[in-house]
Amino acid sequence: EAQVTQNPRYLITVTGKKLTVTCSQNMNHEYMSWYRQDPGLGLRQIYYSMNVEVTDKGDVPEGYKVSRKEKRNFPLILESPSPNQTSLYFCASTPRRTSELNEQFFGPGTRLTVL
Amino acid sequence: DAKTTQPPSMDCAEGRAANLPCNHSTISGNEYVYWYRQIHSQGPQYIIHGLKNNETNEMASLIITEDRKSSTLILPHATLRDTAVYYCIVREGGYSGAGSYQLTFGKGTKLSVIP
């Protein structure tokens, strides 16, 4: 089954304790991205990657890191989490193409709470 | 900034057609209209997209006005599982050339399907 998976789905942690949220897709998509969703602010893009070893900042990259060593994986790293990073996080992927289609496949979400 | 305006909420009786409007009066000639939905805290799901012609797929129909300043998403026979927030997004198709397939989600329309 074609899908985007995220782990963990739920995480409660404390300020300053490094954590990684994994994202994996099995559709051979070139493009992957991370969004966070907060009440009243909608979904905002954190980082994206056009392909292996190519990453770039989205609208709200502060406090986050990413890496893209393999095509299927795009982990989100919080080196020193803070309470304002409490949010619902989504990973998404799409094949890179020049056609009109922009069908992005989203993962199930990771609900992170930083105390 | 979201380029679309949607009503914050709508109700629809189960089995009836749900018609969700979207205004995008500043849409440019190379921009498409995309619809996604998000069922309670799950990852957003692509529904349909169009440029200027009406489109239909297994999930929904998309009606775009001739001047392209507004559109309507139609769910022909709404079920309880269609209760979700529906997002209308306007952007260039596919890879925008600016380095991102980023989707800008507004507040959307919360559709409640009533038994």
Side-chain angles (χ1 to χ4, degrees):
Chain A
E1 180 190 354
Q3 61 182 346
V4 178
T5 57
Q6 296 178 224
N7 281 292
R9 296 288 314 280
Y10 303 89
L11 179 61
I12 300 174
T13 189
V14 295
T15 298
K17 185 176 181 181
K18 180 180 179 180
L19 66 92
T20 299
V21 184
T22 65
C23 173
S24 182
Q25 50 93 5
N26 61 1
M27 297 167 281
N28 203 37
H29 288 168
E30 290 84 2
Y31 179 88
M32 297 183 75
S33 66
W34 278 102
Y35 290 83
R36 61 177 288 174
Q37 185 172 30
D38 303 288
L41 296 176
L43 284 98
R44 295 176 292 168
Q45 191 180 57
I46 303 171
Y47 267 95
Y48 64 92
S49 170
M50 297 301 294
N51 215 326
V52 175
E53 301 293 359
V54 181
T55 64
D56 210 342
K57 297 177 181 178
D59 293 332
V60 289
E62 294 78 21
Y64 304 94
K65 287 174 58 177
V66 292
S67 70
R68 189 87 183 277
K69 294 184 171 54
E70 307 165 279
K71 199 172 188 180
R72 63 183 293 128
N73 296 323
F74 189 45
L76 180 69
I77 303 155
L78 285 73
E79 295 270 2
S80 182
S82 62
N84 65 10
Q85 292 178 298
T86 292
S87 187
L88 180 58
Y89 292 86
F90 291 103
C91 179
S93 75
T94 192
R96 180 174 179 173
R97 52 163 72 110
T98 55
S99 71
E100 66 192 50
L101 184 60
N102 192 353
E103 178 181 357
Q104 297 201 23
F105 296 80
F106 284 80
T110 295
R111 188 168 293 279
L112 172 66
T113 301
V114 183
L115 302 174
Chain B
D1 292 330
K3 302 177 183 179
T4 61
T5 304
Q6 299 177 252
S9 64
M10 293 181 65
D11 291 340
C12 177
E14 188 178 16
R16 304 296 295 270
N19 297 281
L20 292 93
C22 179
N23 287 322
H24 31 80
S25 58
T26 61
I27 192 170
S28 62
N30 62 344
E31 289 183 317
Y32 290 77
V33 180
Y34 297 88
W35 283 85
Y36 278 73
R37 74 179 181 183
Q38 186 176 22
I39 297 171
H40 183 62
S41 295
Q42 296 180 21
Q45 176 190 23
Y46 165 85
I47 302 173
I48 198 168
H49 76 282
L51 182 63
K52 52 185 176 182
N53 297 321
N54 298 338
E55 303 287 345
T56 296
N57 64 18
E58 64 278 3
M59 288 183 69
S61 295
L62 175 60
I63 309 298
I64 303 174
T65 58
E66 193 168 342
D67 63 7
R68 301 211 320 125
K69 293 186 177 182
S70 66
S71 60
T72 301
L73 178 74
I74 301 172
L75 307 179
H77 304 287
T79 70
L80 298 179
R81 286 177 293 182
D82 292 321
T83 293
V85 178
Y86 288 77
Y87 298 99
C88 171
I89 298 166
V90 164
R91 59 154 288 153
E92 292 177 23
Y95 177 53
S96 71
S100 171
Y101 288 87
Q102 180 178 353
L103 295 170
T104 300
F105 290 83
K107 294 188 183 335
T109 296
K110 180 173 173 54
L111 175 69
S112 298
V113 180
I114 313 297

